């Protein structure tokens, strides 16, 4: 496959992002196939992931097609940048949002949510 998958991913991602110079793609091969890891600027995460992850899902699908053409299984891992939304919680934020393993906050009813919004 001679890293054609990596070149393809670089072409697609650099076409989406603002900070092209910060796009870094790693490639490793093992018995499970090819793993491409993507590092990029925090401001570009939303563009690459897309609404509900649809853009990332489409990129992964295209990478699998490229891999099938070369008889390889290709997977993509998008690394969370430092200071990203899944990083350590800010002071005062619930610990469960930082992935500490605690229970997530309980859901509010629609009336409670509207009441909270009325405060703003």
């Amino acid at each position: 496959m001679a890293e054609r998958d990596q070149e393809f991913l670089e072409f697609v991602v650099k076409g989406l992002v603002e900070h092209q110079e910060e796009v870094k793609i790693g490639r490793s091969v093992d018995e499970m196939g090819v793993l491409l890891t993507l590092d990029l600027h925090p401001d570009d995460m939303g563009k690459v992931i897309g609404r509900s992850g649809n853009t990332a899902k489409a990129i992964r699908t295209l990478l699998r097609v490229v891999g099938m053409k070369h008889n390889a299984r290709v997977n993509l891992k998008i690394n969370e940048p430092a200071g990203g939304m899944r990083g350590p919680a800010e002071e005062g934020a619930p610990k469960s949002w930082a992935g500490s393993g605690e229970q997530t906050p309980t859901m509010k009813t629609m009336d409670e949510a509207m009441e909270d919004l009325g405060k703003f």
Side-chain angles (χ1 to χ4, degrees):
M1 183 148 40
E3 296 158 2
R4 299 295 288 268
D5 49 11
Q6 188 173 359
E7 293 170 12
F8 175 77
L9 178 61
E10 183 175 1
F11 173 77
V12 170
V13 171
K14 283 188 175 183
L16 294 172
V17 301
E18 296 290 325
H19 305 279
Q20 296 179 355
E21 68 283 354
E22 293 197 35
V23 173
K24 293 179 182 41
I25 301 170
R27 184 176 191 271
S28 62
V29 182
D30 62 12
E31 66 276 352
M32 297 294 291
V34 178
L35 176 64
L36 297 174
T37 56
L38 177 62
D39 293 294
L40 43 99
H41 192 275
D43 293 344
D44 293 327
M45 285 296 288
K47 293 177 182 132
V48 172
I49 293 174
R51 188 171 292 195
S52 299
N54 287 332
T55 304
K57 186 184 291 186
I59 292 170
R60 286 184 172 107
T61 301
L62 289 171
L63 283 171
R64 286 195 182 106
V65 171
V66 170
M68 286 184 344
K69 183 176 178 183
H70 298 8
N71 296 321
R73 180 176 171 88
V74 180
N75 289 302
L76 172 64
K77 178 182 178 193
I78 303 172
N79 291 327
E80 183 77 22
M85 295 183 71
R86 291 187 177 190
E90 296 176 14
E91 188 148 337
K95 290 182 182 177
S96 61
W97 294 4
S100 67
E102 293 181 20
Q103 290 184 342
T104 55
T106 56
M107 297 291 288
K108 294 183 177 183
T109 65
M110 181 63 82
D111 292 333
E112 291 171 332
M114 293 303 290
E115 189 175 305
D116 286 348
L117 286 174
K119 296 176 186 175
F120 295 102

